[in-house]
């Protein structure tokens, strides 16, 4: 069924956005879906190593999976999908792998830009974008400008991103405004801080999905995930299918979110 809907990993350009009456969505409770889903796309290297391939093969396969999941998020009419593409800590990886990832980002934008635009996606890049290669920064800004008026899924790509770093930058910007006399320290509240974060304009994260078995946030969306639900799976990211994504949606729909209060009715 999934191969028929999405064409398989080998033919990403054939993927189509599933309709609401698709068999893929038959068990979905549409009124209980998360609005903002964040994904830690883990396991590319493990997937490749397990197949006797170079780690770079895992990253290439992971890009195809990302396209699957974005198409599925569009079909589900999610408000936002935020993915952890490259952390501030990932610079510690071997230089050839880092260079490959930078080129993979560039190739992804070149290949997928117009299709995402046609799908009404709003793309945003969060993190220390100014620390990335200049040519990639240019591509990112051009992509954001092209899709800035789209009204579909907000597709946030975290690149050179760290949650602690994001909060620190937000606090520094508010401190600078206070020092300049623009605001008083006592005026700083949650809303003001949220507006200083990279994700300003997005709803809080409802659901965090992490693939490949690890069960931690790894410095991802620390503020935004304060009351998020978590869904962990042992499936490596390149093997994570639209069906797996829907399983996470169904699991979320069955949870009772109390937000510190008593059971919701």
């Amino acid at each position: 069924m999934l191969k028929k809907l999405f064409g398989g990993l080998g033919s990403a350009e054939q993927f189509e956005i599933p309709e609401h009456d698709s068999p893929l969505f038959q068990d979905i409770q549409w009124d209980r879906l998360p609005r903002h889903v964040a994904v830690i796309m883990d396991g590319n290297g493990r997937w490749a190593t397990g197949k006797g391939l170079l780690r770079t093969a895992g990253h290439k396969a992971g890009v195809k999976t990302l396209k699957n999941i974005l198409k599925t998020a569009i079909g589900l009419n999610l408000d936002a999908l935020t993915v952890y593409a490259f952390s501030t800590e990932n610079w510690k990886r071997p230089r050839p792998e880092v260079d490959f990832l930078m080129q993979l980002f560039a190739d992804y934008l070149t290949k997928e830009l117009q299709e995402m635009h046609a799908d009404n996606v709003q793309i945003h890049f969060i993190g220390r974008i100014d620390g990335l290669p200049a040519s990639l920064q240019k591509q990112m800004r051009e992509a954001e400008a092209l899709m800035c008026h789209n009204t579909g899924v907000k597709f946030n790509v975290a690149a050179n991103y760290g949650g602690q770093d994001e909060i620190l930058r937000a606090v520094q910007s508010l401190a600078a405004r206070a020092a300049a006399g623009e605001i008083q320290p006592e005026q700083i509240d949650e809303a003001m801080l949220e507006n200083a974060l990279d994700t300003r304009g997005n709803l809080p994260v409802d659901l965090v999905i992490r693939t490949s078995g690890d069960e931690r946030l790894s410095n991802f969306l620390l503020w935004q995930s304060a009351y998020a639900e978590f869904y962990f799976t042992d499936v490596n990211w390149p093997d994570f299918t639209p069906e797996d994504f829907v399983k996470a949606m169904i699991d979320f729909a069955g949870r009772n979110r109390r937000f510190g209060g008593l059971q919701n009715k």
Side-chain angles (χ1 to χ4, degrees):
M1 180 263 290
L2 289 174
K3 180 177 260 187
K4 181 178 178 182
L5 283 170
F6 292 95
L9 286 175
S11 52
E13 51 278 349
Q14 297 179 19
F15 297 164
E16 296 179 359
I17 299 169
E19 300 291 339
H20 274 211
D21 60 357
S22 164
L24 182 64
F25 295 156
Q26 62 184 356
D27 295 321
I28 287 289
Q29 296 183 59
W30 292 96
D31 61 339
R32 293 184 62 84
L33 285 175
R35 303 309 310 143
H36 186 173
V37 176
V39 183
I40 301 174
M41 306 179 293
D42 201 10
N44 289 341
R46 292 170 205 163
W47 179 88
T49 300
K51 294 180 177 295
L53 302 172
L54 295 176
R55 288 176 57 85
T56 52
H59 296 311
K60 289 180 69 175
V63 166
K64 294 180 181 180
T65 295
L66 178 57
K67 182 168 184 173
N68 284 358
I69 299 309
L70 177 57
K71 292 281 189 178
T72 308
I74 296 169
L76 290 166
N77 197 32
L78 300 186
D79 186 79
L81 175 70
T82 302
V83 297
Y84 209 2
F86 191 85
S87 76
T88 50
E89 291 73 35
N90 285 156
W91 295 107
K92 300 173 185 176
R93 294 185 177 186
R95 181 59 184 268
E97 183 173 351
V98 170
D99 289 344
F100 179 86
L101 286 169
M102 294 300 116
Q103 187 59 52
L104 191 62
F105 292 154
D107 292 345
Y108 178 82
L109 286 175
T110 298
K111 183 178 179 181
E112 305 296 342
L113 184 67
Q114 292 301 326
E115 186 170 345
M116 285 191 288
H117 185 37
D119 287 341
N120 199 29
V121 169
Q122 307 173 54
I123 197 167
H124 303 281
F125 296 92
I126 64 174
R128 286 187 177 266
I129 304 305
D130 57 1
L132 298 173
S135 59
L136 181 56
Q137 292 181 49
K138 183 174 183 291
Q139 279 186 279
M140 289 175 165
R141 297 313 179 201
E142 289 174 349
E144 288 180 329
L146 175 67
M147 292 182 251
C148 67
H149 296 301
N150 289 350
T151 58
V153 172
K154 298 180 182 72
F155 181 38
N156 305 306
V157 181
N160 197 19
Y161 174 89
Q164 291 177 329
D165 177 74
E166 178 191 27
I167 294 170
L168 179 61
R169 287 186 283 110
V171 170
Q172 288 172 338
S173 69
L174 293 175
R177 290 181 61 193
E182 297 177 16
I183 57 174
Q184 295 301 311
E186 59 270 20
Q187 291 179 292
I188 299 174
D189 57 11
E190 289 185 10
M192 192 176 291
L193 179 57
E194 287 175 355
N195 196 50
L197 295 172
D198 296 345
T199 53
R200 54 189 166 274
N202 284 265
L203 295 171
V205 174
D206 293 310
L207 175 65
V208 177
I209 298 171
R210 181 165 188 158
T211 59
S212 198
D214 287 335
E215 299 183 0
R216 55 178 177 267
L217 265 178
S218 294
N219 201 20
F220 183 48
L221 300 178
L222 301 179
W223 177 279
Q224 299 89 336
S225 301
Y227 275 99
E229 299 292 319
F230 293 86
Y231 182 89
F232 300 110
T233 174
D234 290 335
V235 176
N236 289 322
W237 179 247
D239 286 331
F240 190 76
T241 65
E243 187 172 47
D244 290 319
F245 190 70
V246 169
K247 284 180 182 177
M249 302 301 106
I250 294 170
D251 182 86
F252 175 89
R255 300 192 188 188
N256 176 36
R257 305 185 75 201
R258 298 184 299 276
F259 299 96
L262 300 178
Q263 182 171 345
N264 291 329
K265 300 295 185 182

